[in-house]
Amino acid sequence: MSIHHLDITGERCPMTFVKTKLHLEQLQPGDLTEILLMAGEPLDNVPRTVTEQGYEVLETIHVKDTIHKVVIRKPNH
């Protein structure tokens, strides 16, 4: 298992989801990734859409100001 990182704090929807999807596709089953994103639409949409696609959102952490970190695990199947 590896831990990866992606910073999409400078992106706007729909690029936040596009970059997240491309990043998640590169992970191996069981890998974790920490995604930094902004509050508002990215924080509302990214965790919801990755969950709908079968990924597991382990936690969402407020980092500072409007920046949050979402920890996601790629399923083993």
Side-chain angles (χ1 to χ4, degrees):
M1 175 187 78
S2 298
I3 300 175
H4 304 266
H5 306 275
L6 176 66
D7 183 349
I8 55 171
T9 55
E11 303 295 335
R12 303 179 122 204
C13 290
M15 288 308 293
T16 52
F17 177 69
V18 171
K19 289 197 170 187
T20 299
K21 181 176 169 90
L22 293 173
H23 175 73
L24 292 175
E25 289 175 353
Q26 297 176 6
L27 302 181
Q28 298 298 312
D31 281 356
L32 300 178
T33 190
E34 298 177 340
I35 299 177
L36 291 176
L37 47 73
M38 301 298 285
E41 197 171 10
L43 184 60
D44 294 339
N45 293 338
V46 169
R48 178 180 48 81
T49 52
V50 299
T51 300
E52 290 172 355
Q53 294 190 353
Y55 293 89
E56 182 180 4
V57 176
L58 300 178
E59 63 182 339
T60 302
I61 303 164
H62 178 245
V63 177
K64 68 176 182 177
D65 300 326
T66 59
I67 299 174
H68 292 74
K69 176 170 61 178
V70 178
V71 181
I72 299 169
R73 179 186 332 216
K74 185 169 187 169
N76 285 320
H77 48 84

Coordinates of all heavy atoms in Angstrom, one line a residue:
M1 N 0.8 -1.2 0.0 CA 0.0 0.0 0.0 C 0.9 1.2 0.0 O 1.8 1.3 0.7 CB -0.9 0.0 1.2 CG -1.7 1.3 1.3 SD -2.6 1.4 2.9 CE -1.4 1.9 4.0
S2 N 0.5 2.2 -0.8 CA 1.3 3.4 -0.9 C 0.3 4.6 -0.6 O -0.9 4.4 -0.7 CB 1.8 3.6 -2.3 OG 2.7 2.6 -2.7
I3 N 0.9 5.7 -0.2 CA 0.1 6.9 0.0 C 0.5 8.0 -1.0 O 1.7 8.3 -1.1 CB 0.3 7.4 1.5 CG1 -0.1 6.4 2.5 CG2 -0.5 8.7 1.7 CD1 0.1 6.8 3.9
H4 N -0.5 8.5 -1.7 CA -0.2 9.4 -2.8 C -0.8 10.8 -2.4 O -1.6 10.9 -1.4 CB -0.9 8.9 -4.1 CG -0.4 7.6 -4.5 ND1 0.6 7.4 -5.3 CD2 -0.8 6.3 -4.1 CE1 0.8 6.1 -5.5 NE2 -0.1 5.4 -4.7
H5 N -0.5 11.8 -3.1 CA -0.9 13.2 -2.8 C -1.3 13.9 -4.1 O -0.7 13.7 -5.1 CB 0.1 14.0 -2.1 CG 0.7 13.3 -0.9 ND1 0.1 13.4 0.3 CD2 1.7 12.5 -0.7 CE1 0.7 12.7 1.2 NE2 1.8 12.1 0.6
L6 N -2.4 14.7 -4.0 CA -2.8 15.5 -5.1 C -3.3 16.8 -4.6 O -4.1 16.8 -3.7 CB -3.9 14.8 -5.9 CG -4.6 15.6 -7.1 CD1 -3.5 15.8 -8.2 CD2 -5.8 14.8 -7.6
D7 N -2.8 17.9 -5.2 CA -3.3 19.2 -4.8 C -4.1 19.8 -5.9 O -3.5 20.1 -7.0 CB -2.1 20.1 -4.4 CG -2.4 21.5 -4.0 OD1 -3.6 21.9 -4.0 OD2 -1.5 22.2 -3.5
I8 N -5.4 20.0 -5.7 CA -6.3 20.6 -6.7 C -6.8 21.9 -6.1 O -7.9 22.4 -6.6 CB -7.4 19.7 -7.1 CG1 -8.2 19.2 -6.0 CG2 -6.8 18.5 -8.0 CD1 -9.4 18.4 -6.4
T9 N -6.1 22.6 -5.2 CA -6.6 23.8 -4.6 C -6.7 25.0 -5.7 O -7.4 25.9 -5.5 CB -5.8 24.3 -3.4 OG1 -4.4 24.4 -3.8 CG2 -5.9 23.3 -2.3
G10 N -5.9 24.9 -6.7 CA -5.9 25.9 -7.7 C -6.9 25.6 -8.9 O -6.9 26.4 -9.8
E11 N -7.7 24.5 -8.8 CA -8.6 24.1 -9.9 C -10.0 24.5 -9.5 O -10.4 24.6 -8.4 CB -8.4 22.6 -10.1 CG -7.0 22.2 -10.4 CD -6.5 22.7 -11.7 OE1 -7.3 23.0 -12.6 OE2 -5.3 22.8 -11.9
R12 N -10.8 24.6 -10.6 CA -12.2 24.8 -10.4 C -13.0 23.6 -11.1 O -12.4 23.0 -12.0 CB -12.7 26.1 -11.2 CG -11.9 27.3 -10.6 CD -12.3 28.5 -11.4 NE -12.8 29.4 -10.3 CZ -13.6 30.4 -10.5 NH1 -14.1 30.6 -11.8 NH2 -14.0 31.2 -9.6
C13 N -14.2 23.4 -10.7 CA -15.0 22.4 -11.3 C -15.3 22.7 -12.7 O -15.5 23.9 -13.1 CB -16.4 22.2 -10.6 SG -16.2 21.5 -8.9
P14 N -15.2 21.8 -13.7 CA -15.1 20.3 -13.4 C -13.7 19.8 -13.4 O -13.5 18.6 -13.3 CB -15.9 19.8 -14.6 CG -15.6 20.7 -15.8 CD -15.5 22.1 -15.1
M15 N -12.7 20.7 -13.5 CA -11.3 20.2 -13.5 C -10.9 19.5 -12.2 O -10.1 18.6 -12.2 CB -10.3 21.3 -13.9 CG -10.4 21.7 -15.3 SD -10.3 20.3 -16.5 CE -8.6 19.8 -16.2
T16 N -11.6 19.9 -11.1 CA -11.2 19.2 -9.8 C -11.6 17.7 -9.9 O -10.8 16.9 -9.5 CB -12.0 19.8 -8.7 OG1 -13.4 19.9 -9.0 CG2 -11.5 21.2 -8.4
F17 N -12.7 17.4 -10.5 CA -13.1 16.0 -10.7 C -12.3 15.3 -11.7 O -11.9 14.2 -11.5 CB -14.6 15.9 -11.0 CG -15.0 14.4 -11.2 CD1 -15.0 13.6 -10.1 CD2 -15.3 14.0 -12.4 CE1 -15.3 12.2 -10.3 CE2 -15.6 12.6 -12.6 CZ -15.6 11.8 -11.6
V18 N -12.0 16.0 -12.8 CA -11.2 15.3 -13.9 C -9.8 15.0 -13.4 O -9.4 13.8 -13.6 CB -11.1 16.3 -15.1 CG1 -10.1 15.7 -16.1 CG2 -12.5 16.5 -15.8
K19 N -9.2 15.9 -12.7 CA -7.8 15.6 -12.2 C -7.9 14.5 -11.1 O -7.0 13.7 -11.0 CB -7.2 16.9 -11.7 CG -6.8 17.8 -12.8 CD -5.8 18.9 -12.3 CE -5.3 19.6 -13.6 NZ -4.2 20.5 -13.3
T20 N -8.9 14.6 -10.3 CA -9.0 13.5 -9.2 C -9.3 12.2 -9.9 O -8.6 11.2 -9.5 CB -10.2 13.9 -8.3 OG1 -10.0 15.1 -7.7 CG2 -10.4 12.8 -7.3
K21 N -10.1 12.1 -10.9 CA -10.4 10.8 -11.5 C -9.1 10.2 -12.2 O -8.8 9.1 -12.0 CB -11.5 11.0 -12.6 CG -11.9 9.7 -13.3 CD -13.0 10.0 -14.2 CE -13.3 8.8 -15.1 NZ -14.1 7.8 -14.7
L22 N -8.4 11.1 -12.9 CA -7.2 10.6 -13.5 C -6.1 10.1 -12.5 O -5.4 9.1 -12.7 CB -6.6 11.7 -14.4 CG -7.4 12.1 -15.6 CD1 -6.8 13.3 -16.3 CD2 -7.5 10.9 -16.6
H23 N -6.0 10.9 -11.4 CA -5.1 10.5 -10.3 C -5.5 9.2 -9.7 O -4.7 8.3 -9.5 CB -5.1 11.6 -9.3 CG -4.4 11.3 -8.0 ND1 -3.0 11.3 -8.0 CD2 -4.7 11.0 -6.8 CE1 -2.6 11.0 -6.8 NE2 -3.6 10.8 -6.0
L24 N -6.8 9.0 -9.4 CA -7.3 7.8 -8.8 C -7.1 6.5 -9.7 O -6.8 5.4 -9.2 CB -8.8 7.9 -8.4 CG -9.1 8.9 -7.3 CD1 -10.6 9.0 -7.1 CD2 -8.4 8.5 -6.0
E25 N -7.2 6.7 -11.0 CA -7.0 5.6 -11.9 C -5.6 5.1 -11.9 O -5.4 3.9 -12.3 CB -7.4 6.0 -13.3 CG -8.9 6.2 -13.5 CD -9.3 6.8 -14.9 OE1 -8.4 7.1 -15.7 OE2 -10.5 6.8 -15.1
Q26 N -4.6 5.9 -11.5 CA -3.2 5.5 -11.4 C -2.9 4.7 -10.1 O -1.8 4.1 -10.0 CB -2.3 6.7 -11.6 CG -2.5 7.4 -12.9 CD -1.6 8.6 -13.0 OE1 -0.8 8.9 -12.1 NE2 -1.8 9.4 -14.0
L27 N -3.8 4.7 -9.2 CA -3.5 4.0 -7.9 C -3.7 2.5 -8.0 O -4.4 2.0 -8.9 CB -4.5 4.5 -6.8 CG -4.5 6.0 -6.5 CD1 -5.5 6.3 -5.4 CD2 -3.1 6.5 -6.1
Q28 N -3.0 1.8 -7.2 CA -3.1 0.3 -7.1 C -4.2 0.0 -6.1 O -4.4 0.8 -5.1 CB -1.8 -0.3 -6.7 CG -0.7 -0.1 -7.6 CD -1.0 -0.7 -9.0 OE1 -1.4 -1.9 -9.1 NE2 -0.8 0.0 -10.0
P29 N -4.9 -1.1 -6.2 CA -5.9 -1.4 -5.2 C -5.4 -1.4 -3.8 O -4.3 -1.9 -3.5 CB -6.3 -2.9 -5.6 CG -6.0 -2.9 -7.0 CD -4.8 -2.1 -7.2
G30 N -6.1 -0.8 -2.9 CA -5.7 -0.6 -1.5 C -4.9 0.6 -1.2 O -4.6 1.0 0.0
D31 N -4.4 1.3 -2.2 CA -3.6 2.5 -2.0 C -4.5 3.6 -1.5 O -5.7 3.7 -1.7 CB -3.0 3.0 -3.4 CG -1.8 2.3 -3.8 OD1 -1.3 1.4 -3.0 OD2 -1.3 2.6 -4.9
L32 N -3.8 4.5 -0.7 CA -4.5 5.7 -0.2 C -4.0 7.0 -0.9 O -2.8 7.0 -1.4 CB -4.2 5.9 1.3 CG -4.6 4.8 2.2 CD1 -4.1 5.1 3.7 CD2 -6.1 4.5 2.2
T33 N -4.8 8.0 -1.0 CA -4.4 9.2 -1.5 C -5.0 10.4 -0.6 O -6.1 10.2 -0.1 CB -4.8 9.4 -3.0 OG1 -4.1 10.6 -3.5 CG2 -6.3 9.5 -3.2
E34 N -4.2 11.4 -0.5 CA -4.7 12.6 0.2 C -4.8 13.7 -0.8 O -3.9 14.1 -1.5 CB -3.7 13.0 1.3 CG -3.5 12.0 2.3 CD -2.4 12.4 3.3 OE1 -1.6 13.2 3.0 OE2 -2.4 11.8 4.4
I35 N -6.0 14.2 -0.9 CA -6.3 15.3 -1.9 C -6.6 16.6 -1.2 O -7.5 16.6 -0.4 CB -7.5 14.9 -2.8 CG1 -7.2 13.6 -3.6 CG2 -7.9 16.0 -3.8 CD1 -8.3 13.0 -4.4
L36 N -5.9 17.6 -1.5 CA -6.1 18.9 -1.0 C -7.0 19.7 -2.0 O -6.8 19.7 -3.2 CB -4.8 19.7 -0.9 CG -3.8 19.3 0.2 CD1 -2.5 20.1 0.1 CD2 -4.4 19.4 1.6
L37 N -8.1 20.2 -1.4 CA -9.1 21.0 -2.2 C -9.7 22.1 -1.4 O -9.5 22.2 -0.2 CB -10.1 20.0 -2.8 CG -10.8 19.0 -1.9 CD1 -11.8 19.6 -0.9 CD2 -11.5 18.0 -2.7
M38 N -10.4 23.0 -2.2 CA -11.0 24.1 -1.5 C -12.4 23.8 -1.0 O -13.1 22.9 -1.6 CB -11.1 25.3 -2.5 CG -9.7 25.7 -3.1 SD -8.6 26.3 -1.8 CE -9.3 27.9 -1.5
A39 N -12.9 24.6 -0.1 CA -14.2 24.5 0.4 C -15.2 24.9 -0.7 O -14.8 25.4 -1.7 CB -14.4 25.4 1.6
G40 N -16.5 24.6 -0.5 CA -17.5 24.9 -1.5 C -17.7 23.7 -2.5 O -17.7 22.6 -2.1
E41 N -17.8 24.1 -3.8 CA -18.2 23.1 -4.8 C -17.2 21.9 -4.8 O -17.6 20.7 -4.8 CB -18.3 23.7 -6.1 CG -19.0 22.9 -7.1 CD -19.3 23.7 -8.4 OE1 -18.8 24.8 -8.6 OE2 -20.0 23.1 -9.2
P42 N -15.8 22.1 -4.8 CA -15.0 20.9 -4.8 C -15.2 20.0 -3.6 O -15.2 18.8 -3.7 CB -13.6 21.5 -4.8 CG -13.7 22.9 -5.4 CD -15.1 23.3 -4.9
L43 N -15.3 20.6 -2.4 CA -15.5 19.8 -1.2 C -16.8 19.1 -1.2 O -17.0 18.0 -0.7 CB -15.3 20.7 0.0 CG -15.4 20.0 1.4 CD1 -14.3 18.9 1.5 CD2 -15.3 21.0 2.5
D44 N -17.8 19.7 -1.8 CA -19.1 19.1 -1.9 C -19.1 17.9 -2.9 O -19.7 16.9 -2.7 CB -20.2 20.1 -2.3 CG -20.4 21.2 -1.2 OD1 -20.1 20.9 -0.1 OD2 -20.9 22.2 -1.6
N45 N -18.5 18.2 -4.1 CA -18.6 17.2 -5.2 C -17.6 16.1 -5.2 O -18.0 15.0 -5.6 CB -18.6 18.0 -6.5 CG -19.8 18.9 -6.7 OD1 -20.8 18.7 -6.1 ND2 -19.6 19.9 -7.5
V46 N -16.3 16.4 -5.0 CA -15.3 15.3 -5.1 C -15.6 14.1 -4.2 O -15.6 13.0 -4.7 CB -13.9 15.9 -4.9 CG1 -12.9 14.8 -4.8 CG2 -13.6 16.9 -6.1
P47 N -15.8 14.3 -2.9 CA -16.0 13.1 -2.1 C -17.3 12.3 -2.5 O -17.3 11.1 -2.5 CB -16.2 13.7 -0.6 CG -15.5 15.0 -0.7 CD -15.7 15.5 -2.1
R48 N -18.3 13.1 -2.9 CA -19.6 12.4 -3.3 C -19.4 11.6 -4.6 O -19.8 10.4 -4.7 CB -20.7 13.5 -3.5 CG -22.0 12.9 -4.0 CD -23.1 13.9 -4.2 NE -22.6 15.1 -5.0 CZ -22.6 15.1 -6.3 NH1 -22.9 14.1 -7.0 NH2 -22.1 16.2 -6.9
T49 N -18.7 12.2 -5.6 CA -18.6 11.5 -6.9 C -17.6 10.3 -6.8 O -17.8 9.3 -7.4 CB -18.1 12.4 -8.0 OG1 -17.0 13.1 -7.6 CG2 -19.2 13.4 -8.3
V50 N -16.5 10.4 -6.0 CA -15.6 9.3 -5.9 C -16.3 8.1 -5.1 O -16.0 7.0 -5.4 CB -14.2 9.6 -5.2 CG1 -13.5 10.7 -6.1 CG2 -14.3 10.1 -3.8
T51 N -17.1 8.5 -4.1 CA -17.9 7.4 -3.4 C -18.8 6.7 -4.4 O -18.9 5.5 -4.3 CB -18.6 8.1 -2.2 OG1 -17.7 8.7 -1.3 CG2 -19.5 7.0 -1.5
E52 N -19.5 7.5 -5.2 CA -20.4 6.9 -6.2 C -19.6 5.9 -7.2 O -20.2 5.0 -7.7 CB -21.1 8.0 -7.0 CG -22.1 8.8 -6.2 CD -22.6 10.0 -7.0 OE1 -22.2 10.3 -8.1 OE2 -23.5 10.6 -6.4
Q53 N -18.3 6.2 -7.4 CA -17.5 5.3 -8.2 C -16.9 4.2 -7.5 O -16.0 3.5 -8.1 CB -16.5 6.2 -9.0 CG -17.2 7.2 -9.9 CD -16.2 7.9 -10.8 OE1 -15.0 7.8 -10.7 NE2 -16.7 8.6 -11.8
G54 N -17.2 4.0 -6.3 CA -16.7 2.8 -5.5 C -15.5 3.0 -4.7 O -15.0 2.1 -4.0
Y55 N -15.0 4.3 -4.6 CA -13.8 4.6 -3.7 C -14.3 4.8 -2.3 O -15.5 5.2 -2.1 CB -13.0 5.8 -4.2 CG -12.4 5.5 -5.5 CD1 -13.0 5.8 -6.7 CD2 -11.1 5.0 -5.6 CE1 -12.4 5.5 -8.0 CE2 -10.4 4.8 -6.8 CZ -11.1 5.0 -8.0 OH -10.5 4.8 -9.2
E56 N -13.5 4.6 -1.3 CA -13.9 4.9 0.1 C -13.2 6.2 0.6 O -12.0 6.3 0.6 CB -13.4 3.7 0.9 CG -13.8 3.8 2.4 CD -13.3 2.6 3.2 OE1 -12.5 1.8 2.6 OE2 -13.6 2.5 4.4
V57 N -14.1 7.1 1.0 CA -13.6 8.3 1.6 C -13.4 8.0 3.1 O -14.4 7.8 3.8 CB -14.6 9.5 1.4 CG1 -14.1 10.7 2.1 CG2 -14.7 9.8 -0.1
L58 N -12.2 8.0 3.5 CA -11.9 7.7 4.9 C -12.1 8.8 5.9 O -12.6 8.6 7.0 CB -10.4 7.2 5.0 CG -10.1 5.9 4.2 CD1 -8.6 5.6 4.3 CD2 -11.0 4.8 4.5
E59 N -11.7 10.0 5.5 CA -11.9 11.2 6.3 C -11.7 12.5 5.5 O -11.1 12.5 4.5 CB -11.0 11.2 7.5 CG -9.5 11.3 7.2 CD -8.7 11.2 8.5 OE1 -9.2 11.5 9.6 OE2 -7.5 10.9 8.3
T60 N -12.3 13.5 6.0 CA -12.2 14.9 5.5 C -11.7 15.8 6.7 O -12.3 15.8 7.7 CB -13.5 15.4 5.0 OG1 -14.0 14.5 3.9 CG2 -13.4 16.8 4.4
I61 N -10.6 16.4 6.4 CA -9.9 17.2 7.5 C -9.8 18.7 7.0 O -9.3 18.9 5.9 CB -8.5 16.6 7.8 CG1 -8.6 15.2 8.1 CG2 -7.8 17.4 8.9 CD1 -7.3 14.4 8.1
H62 N -10.2 19.6 7.9 CA -10.0 21.0 7.6 C -8.5 21.3 7.9 O -8.0 21.0 9.0 CB -10.8 21.9 8.5 CG -10.6 23.3 8.4 ND1 -10.1 24.1 9.4 CD2 -10.8 24.1 7.3 CE1 -10.0 25.4 8.9 NE2 -10.4 25.4 7.6
V63 N -7.8 21.8 6.9 CA -6.3 22.1 7.0 C -6.1 23.5 7.5 O -5.5 23.7 8.5 CB -5.6 21.8 5.7 CG1 -4.1 22.2 5.8 CG2 -5.8 20.4 5.2
K64 N -6.6 24.5 6.7 CA -6.5 25.9 7.1 C -7.3 26.7 6.2 O -7.5 26.3 5.0 CB -5.1 26.4 7.1 CG -4.4 26.5 5.8 CD -3.0 27.1 5.8 CE -2.5 27.3 4.4 NZ -1.2 27.9 4.4
D65 N -7.8 27.8 6.7 CA -8.7 28.7 5.9 C -9.7 27.9 5.1 O -10.5 27.3 5.8 CB -7.8 29.6 4.9 CG -6.8 30.4 5.6 OD1 -7.1 30.9 6.7 OD2 -5.7 30.6 5.1
T66 N -9.7 27.9 3.8 CA -10.7 27.2 3.0 C -10.2 25.9 2.4 O -10.8 25.3 1.6 CB -11.3 28.1 1.9 OG1 -10.2 28.5 1.0 CG2 -12.0 29.3 2.4
I67 N -9.0 25.5 2.9 CA -8.4 24.3 2.3 C -8.7 23.1 3.2 O -8.6 23.1 4.4 CB -6.9 24.5 2.2 CG1 -6.6 25.6 1.3 CG2 -6.2 23.2 1.7 CD1 -5.1 26.0 1.2
H68 N -9.1 22.0 2.5 CA -9.5 20.7 3.2 C -8.7 19.6 2.6 O -8.3 19.7 1.4 CB -11.0 20.4 3.1 CG -11.8 21.4 3.8 ND1 -12.0 22.7 3.4 CD2 -12.5 21.3 5.0 CE1 -12.8 23.3 4.3 NE2 -13.1 22.5 5.3
K69 N -8.5 18.5 3.4 CA -7.8 17.3 2.9 C -8.8 16.2 2.9 O -9.4 15.9 4.0 CB -6.6 17.0 3.7 CG -5.9 15.7 3.3 CD -4.6 15.5 4.0 CE -4.6 15.5 5.5 NZ -3.3 15.2 6.1
V70 N -9.0 15.5 1.8 CA -9.9 14.3 1.8 C -9.0 13.1 1.5 O -8.1 13.1 0.6 CB -10.9 14.4 0.6 CG1 -11.8 13.2 0.5 CG2 -11.7 15.7 0.8
V71 N -9.1 12.1 2.4 CA -8.3 10.9 2.3 C -9.2 9.8 1.7 O -10.3 9.5 2.2 CB -7.8 10.4 3.7 CG1 -7.0 9.2 3.6 CG2 -7.0 11.5 4.4
I72 N -8.7 9.2 0.6 CA -9.5 8.2 -0.2 C -8.7 7.0 -0.3 O -7.5 7.0 -0.5 CB -9.8 8.8 -1.6 CG1 -10.6 10.1 -1.4 CG2 -10.5 7.8 -2.5 CD1 -10.7 10.9 -2.7
R73 N -9.4 5.8 -0.3 CA -8.8 4.5 -0.5 C -9.4 3.9 -1.8 O -10.6 3.9 -2.0 CB -9.0 3.6 0.7 CG -8.4 2.2 0.4 CD -8.7 1.2 1.5 NE -9.0 1.8 2.7 CZ -8.7 1.4 3.9 NH1 -8.1 0.2 4.0 NH2 -9.0 2.0 5.0
K74 N -8.5 3.3 -2.6 CA -9.0 2.6 -3.8 C -9.4 1.2 -3.4 O -8.6 0.6 -2.6 CB -7.9 2.5 -4.9 CG -8.4 1.9 -6.2 CD -7.4 2.1 -7.3 CE -8.0 1.6 -8.6 NZ -7.2 2.0 -9.7
P75 N -10.5 0.8 -3.8 CA -11.0 -0.6 -3.3 C -10.1 -1.7 -3.8 O -9.4 -1.5 -4.8 CB -12.4 -0.7 -3.9 CG -12.4 0.3 -5.1 CD -11.5 1.4 -4.7
N76 N -10.1 -2.8 -3.1 CA -9.2 -4.0 -3.4 C -9.8 -4.8 -4.6 O -9.1 -5.7 -5.0 CB -9.0 -4.8 -2.2 CG -8.1 -4.2 -1.2 OD1 -7.1 -3.6 -1.6 ND2 -8.4 -4.3 0.1
H77 N -11.0 -4.5 -5.1 CA -11.5 -5.3 -6.2 C -11.6 -4.5 -7.4 O -11.4 -3.4 -7.5 CB -12.9 -5.9 -5.8 CG -13.8 -4.8 -5.2 ND1 -14.6 -4.0 -6.0 CD2 -14.1 -4.5 -4.0 CE1 -15.3 -3.2 -5.2 NE2 -15.0 -3.4 -4.0

